[in-house]
Amino acid sequence: MSWYEERRENKRTEAMIRREDAAAAAQVRIAERQAAAQIQRADEQARRAAKEQAAAARRERRAAMWRGLRVWFGRYVVELLIYPIALLSFALAAPSMAAYGASVYGSALGGLLPGITELGMWAFAIAVVIERRRHPDRSVWGLVAGVLVFGAVAFGINFTHGLTTAWDHGVVMGTASIAGVVAHQLTLATAPKSGQQRREARIERAAARKVARIRKAAVRRAVAEIDADGSARLLYAPGRYSITRRGLRPATVPGLPVAASTDWDRELADLLAITGTATATGPVPSIEDDQDRGDSIEGGAVATLDHGPDLHESTPNRPVIDRKPGRSIEQLRAELAAAIEAGTVNPTSAESIRKTLRIGIARARQLRDEHTKGGRK
């Protein structure tokens, strides 16, 4: 190869290298432009996403604010309706009372009169609301009495002020002064309780009143035990009682077991009170020895509270105890057997049979004897 051809070949090679370098540089520039465009698009997307998120956050805040306002308005709608009336009432009454006080007292200190007439009743009215919301079960009768007293004072003074012009002015000024407090107490000062809670509260109050009456009657009926040192304490007769106008009366509860009593003194006193035989003219109930009837404790005889055989005939005016008249002896035997099986009666005690079956003592004694002896009369 000649020198000229070699030179031309070198130039061709250099040109190819330059073209390849230019193509590579162009590819690099294209890649850089594409990367820059992609970065720009990503930035724009990020900015749009941030704007959308910010807008969504603003919308959510506005929606939350409106929801909160709706909830607040829904919760305090009564207050929003009543307190403007209260402000109008105060705005009408306070300046006139200040002027009236200044004219009555003859000094600027008389302008403090609304502090007694208007602020006084409003202080008690707001105190009623706060106390009932903090302590719904606590009595607020003292605060309510304060509202009534100061409201009467405000009405009276405003009415008197209006009478200096005409009687209708007095009525208008007196009514305007207490209108806000009246509306406030009628709507906001009531206890925040549902209908069911109010019904339950009434039942609880009725139960508390009955318990108080029963305890009072029990105190009247109680006896005193005095110790050697002179101290005294009240003794009560335990049991089940119903309250009547005359006091406590022994009662039986259907469905509850009747246990045999061991308080013989109390049983005897109750029996004497029921039959009315412990009088100066009537016969005294006898205490029968039931050793032959099987009533024994450790082989000894136990005294029962049953009357003698002639008690029923000797006291024709004794109160009727049988609540289900017309039952035959066979029906009573069947009821006694059912009660024995259920365990609600002591078949060896005529008093337990009498209370359970609600029959006379004579029939109760007869059923007791039949059960004890194992035969029927």
Side-chain angles (χ1 to χ4, degrees), residues 118-171:
E118 310 302 323
L119 293 180
M121 62 180 178
W122 274 112
F124 279 98
I126 295 175
V128 169
V129 175
I130 295 175
E131 188 66 15
R132 278 184 170 168
R133 292 185 177 180
R134 289 181 178 178
H135 309 284
D137 298 330
R138 185 177 296 178
S139 176
V140 293
W141 67 267
L143 297 176
V144 174
V147 175
L148 296 176
V149 170
F150 277 86
V153 170
F155 180 85
I157 296 179
N158 280 273
F159 180 77
T160 304
H161 183 203
L163 282 180
T164 58
T165 303
W167 69 269
D168 56 340
H169 289 192
V171 172

Side-chain angles (χ1 to χ4, degrees), residues 7-84:
R7 183 179 178 183
R8 188 174 59 185
E9 185 67 25
N10 291 335
K11 290 182 178 179
R12 186 185 304 113
T13 302
E14 290 175 357
M16 291 177 62
I17 292 172
R18 284 195 297 272
R19 285 194 298 272
E20 290 176 356
D21 292 341
Q27 291 293 332
V28 170
R29 288 192 296 272
I30 292 173
E32 289 177 352
R33 286 195 295 270
Q34 291 177 349
Q38 185 175 2
I39 292 172
Q40 186 177 2
R41 288 194 300 271
D43 292 341
E44 292 178 355
Q45 291 178 356
R47 286 194 295 271
R48 286 196 297 270
K51 290 181 179 179
E52 291 177 356
Q53 290 179 356
R58 287 193 298 271
R59 289 194 297 270
E60 182 63 26
R61 286 195 298 270
R62 286 195 296 269
M65 182 184 65
W66 285 112
R67 284 196 301 269
L69 287 176
R70 285 195 297 270
V71 172
W72 188 85
F73 276 105
R75 181 178 301 174
Y76 297 103
V77 62
V78 179
E79 286 85 347
L80 293 174
L81 294 175
I82 297 302
Y83 278 114

Side-chain angles (χ1 to χ4, degrees), residues 103-118:
S103 64
V104 170
Y105 288 95
S107 66
L109 291 177
L112 300 177
L113 182 60
I116 298 176
T117 58
E118 310 302 323

Side-chain angles (χ1 to χ4, degrees), residues 235-281:
L235 298 179
Y236 302 91
R240 300 189 183 106
Y241 299 93
S242 61
I243 186 69
T244 62
R245 293 182 178 179
R246 297 182 178 180
L248 296 179
R249 177 180 180 183
T252 58
V253 182
L256 293 181
V258 180
S261 177
T262 56
D263 191 352
W264 307 117
D265 294 335
R266 184 173 64 86
E267 291 286 349
L268 180 57
D270 292 342
L271 189 57
L272 294 177
I274 292 174
T275 58
T277 57
T279 62
T281 58

